[in-house]
Amino acid sequence: DGGITQSPKYLFRKEGQNVTLSCEQNLNHDAMYWYRQDPGQGLRLIYYSQIVNDFQKGDIAEGYSVSREKKESFPLTVTSAQKNPTAFYLCASSRTRGETQYFGPGTRLLVL
Amino acid sequence: DQQVKQNSPSLSVQEGRISILNCDYTNSMFDYFLWYKKYPAEGPTFLISISSIKDKNEDGRFTVFLNKSAKHLSLHIVPSQPGDSAVYFCAARDAGKSTFGDGTTLTVKP
């Protein structure tokens, strides 16, 4: 089945630690996205990538980094510079940028 | 400045009745609008969309209406079913970038 997978489902971060969230898609989509959702709020764009080896900052990129070495994969690293990382993180992909986005199941990040 | 607003955080309706979820936007450059449905601890799933050149799009029990002059979008679900209980996000697209509202939690009571 084609789809988007995210792992892990839950992730715990210690103070000062970098953690990496995985996102993989087998939909052959060119564009991939990372969003953050906080309680009672909508989705805010962290980073997006339109094509392999290219990515752009979204609205709230500070404290995050990404890579796009393969078309299928778009990992997100939450660095120690992100002071309020507790949130639900959603990865999405679309055939090209601007087309309908399809979302993964999400990763909940908690700080110990 | 929030460009896409869903002013009702929650909505409760009886099974079999109509659910109407509303969304207002401020950016006149938005050219495509979407509704997503989200269950707790899951990713949003695409529900229905509408281009800015249309004023209505229907898919089964779901109909989206667009009023460009009022910059208003609505999703009608009829008849509502308990399985429709979820958070509904509207999203608007401009130059490839999608902006999401904060969501409305719909509860359909049996």
Side-chain angles (χ1 to χ4, degrees):
Chain A
D1 280 1
I4 302 174
T5 57
Q6 290 185 241
S7 62
K9 192 171 178 65
Y10 295 95
L11 186 58
F12 297 91
R13 192 190 93 162
K14 295 180 181 178
E15 292 285 342
Q17 186 183 38
N18 292 356
V19 292
T20 297
L21 286 63
S22 168
C23 177
E24 303 277 331
Q25 54 98 1
N26 61 4
L27 299 167
N28 200 32
H29 285 172
D30 283 324
M32 297 186 74
Y33 314 79
W34 274 105
Y35 291 91
R36 168 181 172 141
Q37 187 193 12
D38 292 283
Q41 296 188 31
L43 282 61
R44 292 184 291 167
L45 183 65
I46 304 173
Y47 267 98
Y48 67 93
S49 168
Q50 298 188 75
I51 200 166
V52 175
N53 292 323
D54 175 76
F55 49 83
Q56 305 293 331
K57 291 182 179 180
D59 299 320
I60 55 165
E62 187 175 350
Y64 299 98
S65 66
V66 293
S67 63
R68 187 87 186 275
E69 297 176 3
K70 297 188 299 182
K71 187 175 186 177
E72 302 79 20
S73 178
F74 191 40
L76 173 74
T77 297
V78 183
T79 74
S80 57
Q82 171 50 242
K83 298 306 178 189
N84 185 22
T86 298
F88 190 53
Y89 290 87
L90 287 159
C91 178
S93 72
S94 62
R95 199 163 61 96
T96 61
R97 187 177 181 228
E99 295 195 45
T100 301
Q101 296 178 27
Y102 295 89
F103 287 83
T107 292
R108 184 163 298 282
L109 177 61
L110 299 164
V111 177
L112 295 176
Chain B
D1 178 32
Q2 199 167 9
Q3 295 189 56
V4 179
K5 290 185 180 179
Q6 294 177 255
N7 291 316
S8 298
S10 62
L11 174 68
S12 182
V13 299
Q14 207 66 35
E15 182 179 5
R17 305 295 287 268
I18 184 171
S19 296
I20 300 176
L21 297 104
N22 294 304
C23 182
D24 296 297
Y25 62 94
T26 57
N27 184 353
S28 57
M29 299 303 291
F30 287 139
D31 61 0
Y32 201 75
F33 303 86
L34 308 96
W35 284 95
Y36 287 85
K37 175 180 178 180
K38 183 182 179 303
Y39 292 116
E42 293 184 11
T45 54
F46 169 70
L47 197 56
I48 193 169
S49 62
I50 188 168
S51 165
S52 60
I53 62 173
K54 295 187 175 181
D55 54 18
K56 177 182 175 181
N57 187 28
E58 190 172 353
D59 183 4
R61 295 186 298 114
F62 302 92
T63 303
V64 57
F65 294 93
L66 176 62
N67 183 334
K68 284 185 67 178
S69 60
K71 294 190 175 66
H72 180 80
L73 184 72
S74 64
L75 173 68
H76 292 209
I77 306 173
V78 56
S80 301
Q81 299 173 354
D84 295 330
S85 297
V87 178
Y88 289 79
F89 290 98
C90 69
R93 193 184 69 195
D94 168 26
K97 181 185 173 184
S98 293
T99 302
F100 289 80
D102 287 345
T104 296
T105 300
L106 173 65
T107 303
V108 181
K109 298 180 179 178

